Amino acid sequence: MNSERIEENKRRAWDAFVSGDLTLKSKPFRASIEISRNCDLKCIMCPRSRRPEYRVHHPEFDMTPELFQEIACEIFPHLEEAHLQGLGETVISPHWMRILELCKPFAPTTSFSIVTNLNRKDDEMWREMVGMGFKIVFSCDGATKGTFEAIRRGSCFERILANLEVVQEAMRANGGGKLHFLVTLQKLNYEEMPLFIDLAARYGAEQVGFLSVQEDVSMNPCRVLPALAKHPIRGLAALPAYVKRCAAALAKLPGRPGNLGLHDLPISRLMELKKRTLERAGMAGMAVTFTDAFFDEIGKSPAAPPLESLGCEEGIRESRRVAVHHKCFKPFSYMVVNYKGDVGPCCHLISDGSWEQMGNLRESSFDEIWNSKRYREIRKTHLAGKPDNPACRWCFSHRMDE
């Protein structure tokens, strides 16, 4: 599919969203594909770091090149952007270089992107990705060695900086490139907010995005009670064993140690840091985004034009402010495929605890999944502003960008 047909497909998706059509004639024009569920780090805010099945590398958690090729042939022809990352670290997959080769035929019309911890030392790999036009989004959670290594357990800050130099040199040799920083703000690093701008500018990044650690939902009664129900108590004599079983059950629920979120911090201090950050970004000529409505200067969502009044491109950009519009465009435009070929509607739902299963591309065709009953249901709830998934509800309260 050429560029003109991709643009026409986008317009059809937007028209269906605006008119409320649940059965689509358009195809998704953006997709995330999880190349690996494995990771080489154990970041403190990541729920997978607490799950025992992720403590060692499992080859079965790496998408095979054969499955990737099947998926690419099925959905790539109509994609504007393919984001090759999921819950794990993409570039540690033993199949990654072969998958890069499979991407090349689609490079003329599809933009490729990746979020990476930049921990792997492989200069040729990074140069290859820059040469292919990848948008490399560096997940950077500390602007100093101590903070970075405390949050991203298992990392080496010096190796990260060396890889940033390789990417920067490759962008210079290539006559351009796309390097972004993505910061997950939390209690351990929020004071370094302005320093992230300095670090990004040093290595030629064009944008810094600030996410916020979501509040820990592992103690939500909707999730705790089913876990406890699996371990009924049988008399007072069994109480010690019951408590032990319950603790083990709760420990398996995705969550984080302690409260790492920012929402109980003084808003005045956060706004001061945000102001200093934006000032430094302005001097560096760098774009900055804050994805959490909590960082709005006046504590309210900015005025929003009705999405129905906007054209396709402007409307799609504006629709990212989910917390403002209480609607989500992703079920109309986006598809996520995990390492097994399972399909979901959003990259924010790819974790073990919140996965929304739409189907499997090895068992059903793309068309059967894309307009399935479940997909139509999720489009309806997201148009009405009443999502049934806790992760979606967080976005409807806080999400201001991708």
Side-chain angles (χ1 to χ4, degrees):
M1 184 180 287
N2 57 30
S3 299
E4 291 76 15
R5 293 180 66 191
I6 289 178
E7 289 302 313
E8 176 60 26
N9 182 59
K10 286 174 66 177
R11 284 191 289 270
R12 288 183 178 181
W14 181 250
D15 289 344
F17 176 69
V18 170
S19 62
D21 294 337
L22 304 182
T23 301
L24 306 185
K25 296 179 181 179
S26 60
K27 312 293 185 184
F29 56 86
R30 298 178 63 212
S32 288
I33 300 174
E34 184 178 51
I35 303 303
S36 180
R37 182 61 62 94
N38 291 299
C39 190
D40 52 344
L41 302 182
K42 297 291 184 288
C43 302
I44 62 171
M45 67 289 183
C46 181
R48 68 181 304 289
S49 298
R50 296 182 61 212
R51 300 183 70 98
E53 62 267 37
Y54 297 128
R55 289 175 183 166
V56 297
H57 187 105
H58 291 275
E60 64 272 22
F61 291 167
D62 297 317
M63 180 178 285
T64 65
E66 293 75 22
L67 177 56
F68 181 86
Q69 189 167 28
E70 292 176 22
I71 294 168
C73 291
E74 188 83 38
I75 68 174
F76 274 29
H78 47 259
L79 288 187
E80 178 182 63
E81 179 182 345
H83 183 66
L84 304 185
Q85 187 257 342
L87 193 59
E89 172 58 39
T90 296
V91 302
I92 67 169
S93 166
H95 312 301
W96 177 232
M97 296 307 293
R98 171 59 182 151
I99 288 173
L100 280 180
E101 288 296 319
L102 294 172
C103 290
K104 287 183 177 179
F106 302 97
T109 55
T110 301
S111 298
F112 291 97
S113 63
I114 184 175
V115 174
T116 174
N117 60 34
L118 217 67
N119 196 51
R120 178 177 172 179
K121 186 61 179 174
D122 188 330
D123 294 1
E124 288 305 312
M125 178 194 70
W126 297 116
R127 294 188 185 109
E128 178 78 6
M129 292 168 63
V130 171
M132 288 179 63
F134 263 78
K135 180 171 73 176
I136 297 174
V137 183
F138 168 38
S139 186
C140 178
D141 295 327
T144 61
K145 175 180 173 65
T147 303
F148 191 96
E149 293 182 356
I151 294 174
R152 296 199 152 257
R153 293 179 300 186
S155 66
C156 173
F157 194 58
E158 289 78 11
R159 181 164 62 243
I160 301 297
L161 298 183
N163 284 335
L164 281 169
E165 289 181 2
V166 171
V167 171
Q168 184 179 39
E169 290 170 2
M171 291 193 301
R172 288 171 178 165
N174 200 52
K178 299 175 183 178
L179 174 64
H180 291 194
F181 277 40
L182 185 65
V183 180
T184 305
L185 287 174
Q186 51 199 283
K187 282 188 170 68
L188 291 181
N189 67 8
Y190 75 96
E191 290 283 356
E192 295 184 356
M193 231 187 283
L195 300 181
F196 286 110
I197 303 299
D198 299 341
L199 184 64
R202 187 190 315 166
Y203 293 100
E206 61 183 16
Q207 178 174 309
V208 177
F210 290 99
L211 303 171
S212 298
V213 168
Q214 295 185 20
E215 297 306 316
D216 196 341
V217 297
S218 65
M219 298 308 291
N220 186 313
C222 294
R223 303 178 69 191
V224 173
L225 294 179
L228 298 185
K230 295 178 181 179
H231 305 279
I233 185 171
R234 304 185 187 282
L236 291 177
L239 184 58
Y242 170 75
V243 171
K244 185 176 181 179
R245 289 195 302 270
C246 289
L250 293 176
K252 294 179 180 179
L253 291 174
R256 288 169 289 276
N259 175 18
L260 300 177
L262 303 176
H263 289 200
D264 59 349
L265 294 176
I267 188 67
S268 58
R269 178 57 179 161
L270 292 172
M271 291 302 103
E272 177 189 348
L273 288 166
K274 178 184 177 181
K275 180 180 179 181
R276 288 169 50 196
T277 299
L278 292 175
E279 289 173 348
R280 291 202 190 186
M283 290 187 290
M286 185 178 301
V288 173
T289 61
F290 288 85
T291 67
D292 192 336
F294 184 66
F295 279 90
D296 173 30
E297 293 282 2
I298 58 176
K300 298 179 181 179
S301 298
L307 292 176
E308 296 80 3
S309 68
L310 303 177
C312 177
E313 292 296 336
E314 184 183 1
I316 290 172
R317 288 193 299 271
E318 177 65 26
S319 71
R320 295 174 179 175
R321 298 201 298 162
V322 178
V324 174
H325 298 282
H326 299 287
K327 294 181 180 181
C328 183
F329 182 47
K330 280 190 173 180
F332 293 79
S333 60
Y334 200 92
M335 175 176 279
V336 179
V337 186
N338 73 5
Y339 68 98
K340 297 183 290 185
D342 296 330
V343 173
C346 176
C347 56
H348 301 302
L349 301 180
I350 201 169
S351 69
D352 294 300
S354 57
W355 177 252
E356 288 279 356
Q357 175 65 279
M358 301 288 111
N360 183 285
L361 286 172
R362 281 180 160 170
E363 300 170 359
S364 305
S365 71
F366 162 80
D367 289 327
E368 289 173 328
I369 296 172
W370 185 235
N371 279 312
S372 64
K373 179 181 179 181
R374 182 59 184 135
Y375 240 120
R376 295 196 306 272
E377 288 174 347
I378 204 168
R379 287 175 188 135
K380 183 177 180 179
T381 60
H382 281 55
L383 275 175
K386 298 178 180 179
D388 55 9
N389 190 294
C392 292
R393 290 197 291 270
W394 192 94
C395 281
F396 273 66
S397 298
H398 297 278
R399 184 73 57 186
M400 296 292 283
D401 204 332
E402 291 292 299

